[in-house]
Amino acid sequence: MLMAAGFDRYYQVARCFRDEDLRADRQPEFTQVDIEMSFVSKEDIQNVLEGLIQRVWSRIKGIEIKVPFRRITFAEATSKYGSDKPDTRFGLEIVQTPQLTADVHTIAEVLVIPGGAQSFSTKELAPFADLIRTSQANGESKVRNKHMHKIGDQGATGISKATLLARWLQGDNARLSDVLDSVSAQPGDLVFVSERSSRVTPANTTLGRLRTLAAKLLQEKGVLDISADRFDFLWVEDFPLFTRIVDDDKAQLSATHHPFTAPIKNDLPLLYTDPAKVRGQHYDLVLNGVELGGGSIRVHDPEVQEHIFENILCLSPQVRASFGHLVTALGHGCPPHGGIALGLDRLVAILTDSVSLRDVIAFPKSANGRDLFMHAPAPATPEQLAEYGIAVCKTPPAH
């Protein structure tokens, strides 16, 4: 609205609320630095943020950060690292293995942990097995197969009839060396093989979580060394504009980030023919596997915005009406504009080496959303309810 009103740029420190499950890096209320600018490109916004990060890290931590930051696409992030916010301080990259499947809608991939079969005891492999079992249980990407194999001089362990490797080998064990060579697996390595649907938009795949877990455990064992003062900043770009969460070509699409993100210019024709293939002008700033912030160039054409609302997201007339004032503003000559929001609490937690956001927030909330200091939420007395004209009805009032 401010951009439509003629403001060139602004920033605000905004208090926000979220309705999501809480974790160590999430709170129900949080603070963000919100930046918006007119007549800018994605690169303009990224340059501003890189300069800001450089100055903050230099002033607070005495560390000079090199710019420009590395840029990778969403497709590269999810295929190589199994995450849309990858930690690139270590290798353990995932390898796509299309030879393992003939299904065009299936992605077969392999994660190799060099020396993992020797580094981890049977007991220490239990967390990996638990993670795999959990992923199968929650039906992520309708996975058909996820299995763990130890590589030895005589081949691989755990190749049962149910495994993806067994299906591919078709009884010819000589073919095993071909796939192991293609992923550079050696005797003593630990290998994870996974199969997932290409029709479901990945954000944090099973192999991505296994990669993060392996790095954590290898660090604890002293096998993997990651310097505490290493800061790998990167931009993740070219996100799909729309997400499909059901393994079905005809499933309803939803906005990957928010419905106001503009499509990449070259993909604009696809918006009317094959919207699932459209990439958005969204960008996330990631540091060591943590998303510091995200932003996008916005839609400024009211006809494009209406098409997204009505024909792609299939929003009801009631929901579309709630956005009516925004679409009207676009029709009054709103300039091309974009922005980004940085999570201030998360940024402060990283700068102070805090384990949890609760360490840097005044009056943090517990895992179930309670304020332990203020004892809130708490029951209201009848007098308090009466003061605000509120009545608690145990049965619906008669009409």
Side-chain angles (χ1 to χ4, degrees):
M1 297 299 288
L2 287 174
M3 299 298 102
F7 281 78
D8 175 56
R9 64 193 62 193
Y10 78 87
Y11 81 91
Q12 62 175 331
V13 179
R15 195 67 172 165
C16 308
F17 300 88
R18 77 166 89 241
D19 182 18
E20 299 178 49
D21 293 336
L22 304 186
R23 303 193 301 250
D25 63 342
R26 279 185 178 172
Q27 281 277 290
E29 52 187 18
F30 61 100
T31 307
Q32 67 181 24
V33 180
D34 182 36
I35 301 170
E36 200 88 15
M37 294 180 279
S38 291
F39 298 107
V40 291
S41 66
K42 171 187 68 178
E43 290 75 20
D44 293 326
I45 295 171
Q46 290 173 333
N47 289 340
V48 169
L49 262 292
E50 288 175 0
L52 174 63
I53 293 296
Q54 264 192 321
R55 184 173 178 82
V56 169
W57 250 253
S58 177
R59 293 284 298 272
I60 303 300
K61 299 189 76 71
I63 296 175
E64 299 302 320
I65 301 297
K66 294 181 179 180
V67 297
F69 298 157
R70 178 185 175 189
R71 287 159 169 77
I72 65 173
T73 65
F74 172 85
E76 180 183 357
T78 53
S79 63
K80 281 188 177 181
Y81 306 104
S83 173
D84 61 357
K85 48 182 180 182
D87 190 339
T88 56
R89 292 174 297 171
F90 57 93
L92 304 182
E93 293 185 4
I94 298 166
V95 180
Q96 307 289 300
T97 51
Q99 68 269 32
L100 293 183
T101 179
D103 186 348
V104 295
H105 296 301
T106 298
I107 298 173
E109 50 193 8
V110 173
L111 171 66
V112 178
I113 311 299
Q118 299 171 337
S119 297
F120 298 114
S121 65
T122 301
K123 181 179 179 180
E124 290 171 329
L125 290 175
F128 294 102
D130 289 342
L131 194 156
I132 291 173
R133 186 164 50 251
T134 302
S135 294
Q136 288 175 332
N138 66 30
E140 176 195 309
S141 301
K142 289 192 176 178
V143 174
R144 289 79 164 173
N145 278 285
K146 286 193 288 284
H147 295 281
M148 175 170 55
H149 307 281
K150 292 182 179 180
I151 308 303
D153 294 327
Q154 305 303 316
T157 64
I159 301 181
S160 65
K161 291 182 179 180
T163 64
L164 180 59
L165 280 182
R167 276 199 284 129
W168 184 76
L169 293 175
Q170 297 179 348
D172 183 5
N173 290 332
R175 301 181 71 187
L176 180 61
S177 60
D178 294 337
V179 68
L180 294 181
D181 289 344
S182 71
V183 297
S184 302
Q186 303 291 329
D189 291 350
L190 188 64
V191 172
F192 298 94
V193 183
S194 175
E195 188 181 37
R196 58 183 173 86
S197 172
S198 63
R199 288 178 288 214
V200 178
T201 307
N204 192 13
T205 68
T206 300
L207 291 194
R209 295 197 293 275
L210 288 168
R211 175 180 179 269
T212 301
L213 175 61
K216 176 179 178 291
L217 298 179
L218 288 172
Q219 274 189 282
E220 293 174 356
K221 295 175 73 67
V223 177
L224 178 63
D225 181 32
I226 300 177
S227 174
D229 60 355
R230 178 173 175 177
F231 299 97
D232 279 16
F233 290 93
L234 72 149
W235 293 102
V236 179
E237 307 173 327
D238 293 355
F239 284 79
L241 189 58
F242 305 106
T243 297
R244 181 181 287 118
I245 60 175
V246 179
D247 190 5
D248 184 347
D249 280 334
K250 298 180 180 179
Q252 175 61 50
L253 295 172
S254 59
T256 301
H257 291 95
H258 58 70
F260 307 102
T261 301
I264 287 178
K265 186 176 181 180
N266 291 342
D267 289 356
L268 188 57
L270 291 172
L271 199 65
Y272 302 91
T273 59
D274 196 350
K277 293 182 179 179
V278 178
R279 295 164 297 166
Q281 294 191 61
H282 181 95
Y283 33 85
D284 278 354
L285 179 59
V286 176
L287 170 62
N288 299 350
V290 176
E291 180 188 334
L292 287 184
S296 67
I297 301 299
R298 323 290 193 213
V299 175
H300 66 278
D301 184 329
E303 293 184 359
V304 171
Q305 190 66 74
E306 284 282 19
H307 175 71
I308 291 173
F309 282 162
E310 184 173 356
N311 301 319
I312 299 177
L313 300 180
C314 300
L315 300 182
S316 67
Q318 292 80 7
V319 174
R320 294 204 307 272
S322 67
F323 294 121
H325 61 294
L326 298 177
V327 177
T328 299
L330 296 182
H332 287 292
C334 185
H337 60 287
I340 191 168
L342 282 179
L344 183 60
D345 307 310
R346 191 168 299 176
L347 186 64
V348 172
I350 291 173
L351 289 168
T352 56
D353 300 317
S354 300
V355 176
S356 170
L357 287 181
R358 296 181 180 91
D359 297 334
V360 297
I361 294 177
F363 311 118
K365 306 303 181 286
S366 65
N368 61 2
R370 292 186 59 82
D371 186 324
L372 301 181
F373 181 78
M374 300 298 294
H375 301 290
T381 65
E383 292 77 15
Q384 290 172 323
L385 292 176
E387 184 177 353
Y388 292 98
I390 298 174
V392 178
C393 301
K394 295 184 179 180
T395 59
H399 295 288

